[in-house]
Amino acid sequence: MPRLRRAGPRATNRSPAAAATAMLLSLITLTYARLHAWETRAREDERDGGYSTETVIVTALLVVLALAVIGIIGRALIDKANSIDL
């Protein structure tokens, strides 16, 4: 397959690793710039963009309740399985 020539003063052959590194660094830079812009815009609008304290507490209580129910049901299943005589 013939190589295509690049026009301009930067017509150099780059290795695939160098091209991948350059693309990765530009992606990281673009992501940082985008996140910084979002943070700046959120601060200017005086929005916190997060959950309220009540929502976090209710969610945590539901998780604890679910874990307790799973524990109770799991213990009952293990007791029932151990009581079976073969």
Side-chain angles (χ1 to χ4, degrees), residues 33-43 47:
R34 175 66 67 172
L35 290 174
H36 184 68
W38 284 343
E39 181 184 7
T40 303
R41 188 176 65 207
R43 287 178 191 255
R47 295 180 295 166

Side-chain angles (χ1 to χ4, degrees), residues 37-74:
W38 284 343
E39 181 184 7
T40 303
R41 188 176 65 207
R43 287 178 191 255
E44 289 172 355
D45 293 344
E46 295 181 9
R47 295 180 295 166
D48 62 354
Y51 287 104
S52 65
T53 305
E54 295 85 12
T55 305
V56 172
I57 291 172
V58 169
T59 304
L61 289 175
L62 287 174
V63 168
V64 168
L65 180 64
L67 289 174
V69 168
I70 289 171
I72 292 169
I73 292 173

Side-chain angles (χ1 to χ4, degrees), residues 2-51:
R3 290 189 167 228
L4 299 175
R5 295 182 136 198
R6 294 185 191 174
R10 299 182 67 194
T12 60
N13 290 331
R14 289 187 182 173
S15 69
T21 303
M23 187 169 50
L24 183 62
L25 288 175
S26 63
L27 180 64
I28 290 170
T29 304
L30 180 64
T31 303
Y32 175 77
R34 175 66 67 172
L35 290 174
H36 184 68
W38 284 343
E39 181 184 7
T40 303
R41 188 176 65 207
R43 287 178 191 255
E44 289 172 355
D45 293 344
E46 295 181 9
R47 295 180 295 166
D48 62 354
Y51 287 104

